[in-house]
Amino acid sequence: MTIRTATHLSIRNLDVWYGGQHALKDINADIPRHQITTIVGPSGCGKTTLLKSLNRLSELNTQVNVSGQVLLDGIDIYDPAVDVTEVRTRIGLLAQKPCPLPMSIYDNIAYGPRIHGQKNGKMDDVVRTHLQDVELWDEVKHRLKAPATGLSVGQQQRLCLARALAVRPEVLLCDESTSALDPISARAVERLLDRLKENYTVVMVTHDLAQARRLADYVLFIWLGEVVEQGPARHVFNQPREPRTRAYLAGEIG
Amino acid sequence: MNIVQPRILTDRIGTARTTFVIPRNRQGWRYWKDAIASQGMGISTFAACLLIVVIAGALLDRAWPILSVESPKALVTSETWHPIKGQFGFWPFIASSLYVTLIAMALAVPAALFSAMYLAEYTRLRGLIKPLVDLLASIPSVVYGLWGVLFVVPLVRDHIGPASNDTLGQIIPFFATNNPTGYGLLAAGFVLAIMVFPFVMSVTEEVFHSVPQEMREASLALGATHWETTKAVVLRKSLPGVIAAVVLGFSRAFGETLAVLMVVGNVVQVPGSLFDAAYPLPALIANNYGEMMSIPLYDSALMTAALMLLIVVLTFNIGARLVLVRLNPETAA
């Protein structure tokens, strides 16, 4: 029985080494449920590394070592008894560049549910619902069997979002997911994320401060592998306590 | 000085545009080198392409005496090989070649695919194992042939043949044996499989390895297992390359001569069993060219065999190309 608290994902004493480099130092953070948490900070400060540590994708890189805990509703995802595929099912990822799987639009959405045992009988509904969710259905309903690579980049990213949602995650990690998109597609994805937080906890990495201001409910500011400041967005953006946060927000660093 | 000068032009509406004025006098040694390089590369490329036409033309010319008296269909389908009586039926050789190649591919391709997957997806020892596999590909075929004679033939004769004969052979005649020597289809197919394996494996491994890591992550991030990702994403993405690798392996196997003729038995017959001796086309040519050339049309018949080899390999390559175009129009074109 998991207890539903205001904190959904809790990071405890997380250290990550990348090769010989200490990439993340003693990260502690509580990520609130059903809100958008943005991780901001200069390039190369460990934002993506942190994000990928939250669903154990970082361990694909053999040079990465992780210590500490990431608690999903109190359960440590790094516990050896925990099944990593289960972790990644409950904590989904929307990557920086859209990456459609080498199959049709339909199969891109159906891929996840099929893996998790969804029968083909109801698949049409599953695919339609999720494509509607990301406002892509009207654009692709006549060519569901066409290869997903034929879509525009903006459409591909919405497809990837629908694909991530189709396995019914609780948490959605977004790694600068709008940075490869044109402004109109980017705003469309932003609008979707803003709507999705009703049902999902969203953690997004961005170095677009304007985007963070538009979307964030909660902010983690990272600087050289350390959390400098965290808190509700209005506090961090309007009354930052730390000089480094102020400098970053003023555009002086990063 | 022939430096390209940018020049600001103003068009009728008044928008400034930058254009580049290209100097006319392309003279001097630099330009000669440029011309020689591009022409030289072009000539060698086209010469290589022309070579296949020249070879095919020469073979056709030498094969013509027999092709003009016998119909190609009769040559291919007839089973009687009596050069002295003027009977040239190629079916035993064609059938032998096909059997040996198919056996080799059936053994080599699954093994190569699985090891390529293992190297590309499952192990960190790629840097160690890949060079070893590539080394296998560079062992001379006579060494494989000798190894076949010393090891594979006795294995087939003493163990695999009798075992198969007593079990599967009791139900399916193809697995029965009445060849006590061990020299035959299976031995040849086995040796050939080991020769083809490094090629198919090396190429497919490169193809698997070139699948972008983001694509694996996209699948894993949905909660897919390692194997599901390998099968549904890596293998699917690599399919055109895998087909190309199999065709490469097939072409090599179909034309391989020396190692095969050392272990295949070289008996002119249409093999009826996995253990029967056979006589593939390349062995026919290699064993007989230069001997018994006084028999009328014999020389021409051997040239026809060579022509057949060429046609089969070309057809197979072109067919694979067509499959690739259908699978992936952008990359294969």
Side-chain angles (χ1 to χ4, degrees):
Chain A
M1 183 68 200
T2 53
I3 309 140
R4 288 173 65 91
T5 54
T7 297
H8 199 173
L9 205 54
S10 176
I11 305 166
R12 289 280 162 264
N13 310 106
L14 188 75
D15 283 273
V16 177
W17 286 267
Y18 195 97
Q21 198 194 340
H22 200 170
L24 290 175
K25 297 163 194 158
D26 195 28
I27 306 287
N28 284 282
D30 288 327
I31 290 169
R33 186 185 305 276
H34 293 184
Q35 293 189 12
I36 295 182
T37 298
T38 60
I39 303 174
V40 295
S43 300
C45 69
K47 302 190 298 287
T48 297
T49 308
L50 175 59
L51 197 74
K52 287 192 171 177
S53 306
L54 299 184
N55 71 345
R56 288 177 64 179
L57 265 188
S58 57
E59 68 192 20
L60 294 182
N61 188 324
T62 51
Q63 293 181 310
V64 170
N65 282 304
V66 179
S67 84
Q69 290 181 315
V70 175
L71 305 166
L72 176 66
D73 277 329
I75 296 164
D76 181 13
I77 65 167
Y78 283 96
D79 190 317
V82 166
D83 174 15
V84 66
T85 63
E86 173 74 14
V87 168
R88 294 184 186 143
T89 309
R90 290 174 63 181
I91 306 177
L93 175 80
L94 185 60
Q96 180 170 11
K97 277 190 301 182
C99 186
L101 298 174
M103 44 188 87
S104 68
I105 294 170
Y106 184 100
D107 286 336
N108 258 275
I109 307 289
Y111 178 73
R114 270 188 201 132
I115 282 173
H116 298 293
Q118 171 90 32
K119 293 286 174 285
N120 276 325
K122 288 196 174 152
M123 196 60 83
D124 289 356
D125 288 338
V126 171
V127 171
R128 185 169 42 80
T129 318
H130 286 99
L131 285 174
Q132 282 169 341
D133 263 1
V134 299
E135 298 163 17
L136 193 60
W137 173 252
D138 288 331
E139 293 161 53
V140 301
K141 63 182 174 192
H142 302 299
R143 46 169 173 159
L144 291 172
K145 296 294 172 197
T149 41
L151 297 172
S152 75
V153 177
Q155 289 173 324
Q156 287 184 10
Q157 192 65 317
R158 278 181 284 155
L159 180 76
C160 291
L161 180 56
R163 180 180 70 194
L165 299 180
V167 296
R168 304 180 164 280
E170 303 165 21
V171 180
L172 187 65
L173 309 175
C174 302
D175 183 9
E176 297 187 24
S177 303
T178 60
S179 63
L181 308 185
D182 62 273
I184 294 171
S185 310
R187 289 308 281 266
V189 171
E190 273 187 24
R191 216 174 47 238
L192 290 168
L193 292 176
D194 202 36
R195 184 159 57 76
L196 286 171
K197 71 180 181 186
E198 284 173 28
N199 302 310
Y200 302 90
T201 299
V202 178
V203 184
M204 63 186 292
V205 160
T206 182
H207 55 218
D208 177 356
L209 268 177
Q211 183 181 55
R213 286 178 196 273
R214 282 194 298 272
L215 290 177
D217 299 304
Y218 193 84
V219 176
L220 290 182
F221 172 55
I222 299 192
W223 169 254
L224 297 176
E226 288 175 80
V227 176
V228 173
E229 185 160 355
Q230 59 176 308
R234 56 181 187 283
H235 291 169
V236 177
F237 285 139
N238 299 332
Q239 296 133 19
R241 276 171 283 126
E242 287 283 327
R244 280 175 293 179
T245 319
R246 276 200 289 276
Y248 179 69
L249 293 174
E252 286 159 19
I253 52 174
Chain B
M1 284 293 280
N2 286 329
I3 291 173
V4 179
Q5 295 287 344
R7 186 195 283 174
I8 309 294
L9 295 177
T10 311
D11 64 18
R12 259 174 291 168
I13 314 165
T15 322
R17 289 186 302 151
T18 308
T19 58
F20 290 88
V21 179
I22 296 162
R24 295 271 163 73
N25 53 336
R26 287 171 52 88
Q27 282 166 356
W29 180 223
R30 290 177 60 220
Y31 294 108
W32 276 106
K33 276 197 286 192
D34 188 41
I36 292 168
S38 63
Q39 298 298 319
M41 287 186 268
I43 289 169
S44 18
T45 309
F46 287 114
C49 296
L50 202 63
L51 206 56
I52 190 130
V53 179
V54 174
I55 292 174
L59 286 178
L60 192 62
D61 177 54
R62 296 281 296 275
W64 193 249
I66 199 167
L67 289 175
S68 58
V69 294
E70 297 266 7
S71 80
K73 185 170 178 284
L75 284 175
V76 169
T77 54
S78 165
E79 288 185 22
T80 338
W81 181 262
H82 276 302
I84 295 170
K85 296 186 193 162
Q87 292 172 317
F88 296 99
F90 281 98
W91 182 240
F93 304 102
I94 297 170
S96 300
S97 270
L98 289 176
Y99 269 127
V100 169
T101 310
L102 289 178
I103 292 166
M105 296 308 279
L107 294 173
V109 170
L113 278 185
F114 280 116
S115 359
M117 257 178 216
Y118 180 73
L119 268 202
E121 305 295 321
Y122 283 84
T123 179
R124 298 173 195 177
L125 299 176
R126 178 175 192 260
L128 195 71
I129 299 176
K130 194 77 195 296
L132 276 178
V133 173
D134 289 340
L135 193 71
L136 275 182
S138 61
I139 296 178
S141 59
V142 67
V143 176
Y144 280 107
L146 275 178
W147 176 76
V149 171
L150 294 176
F151 178 76
V152 180
V153 169
L155 184 75
V156 170
R157 179 187 62 210
D158 301 334
H159 301 285
I160 302 177
S164 167
N165 188 49
D166 296 342
T167 53
L168 269 178
Q170 302 301 313
I171 315 158
I172 310 162
F174 188 71
F175 292 97
T177 172
N178 49 15
N179 173 10
T181 65
Y183 288 88
L185 281 185
L186 185 65
F190 196 83
V191 170
L192 201 49
I194 287 162
M195 295 179 69
V196 170
F197 170 84
F199 281 90
V200 181
M201 147 109 173
S202 190
V203 176
T204 43
E205 200 277 340
E206 284 306 327
V207 178
F208 291 155
H209 195 73
S210 69
V211 172
Q213 182 65 15
E214 293 84 48
M215 209 168 261
R216 294 186 187 92
E217 288 187 4
S219 168
L220 292 169
L222 295 168
T225 61
H226 202 153
W227 167 241
E228 284 160 347
T229 302
T230 303
K231 185 180 58 152
V233 176
V234 178
L235 190 58
R236 193 128 155 198
K237 177 77 179 164
S238 312
L239 200 58
V242 171
I243 292 175
V246 171
V247 171
L248 178 77
F250 177 91
S251 304
R252 273 197 63 85
F254 201 75
E256 173 52 40
T257 311
L258 195 61
V260 172
L261 75 81
M262 289 170 80
V263 295
V264 78
N266 300 324
V267 176
V268 184
Q269 61 180 355
V270 178
S273 147
L274 192 55
F275 301 94
D276 278 353
Y279 211 152
L281 284 167
L284 167 71
I285 303 167
N287 278 340
N288 298 299
Y289 192 76
E291 294 176 25
M292 304 193 292
M293 299 304 269
S294 56
I295 301 170
L297 291 179
Y298 196 72
D299 162 76
S300 183
L302 294 184
M303 288 303 158
T304 308
L307 193 61
M308 285 173 180
L309 273 177
L310 192 68
I311 289 172
V312 169
V313 170
L314 279 184
T315 314
F316 204 78
N317 274 280
I318 292 168
R321 180 64 54 184
L322 293 177
V323 172
L324 290 185
V325 170
R326 280 203 56 176
L327 278 178
N328 197 345
E330 303 118 60
T331 55

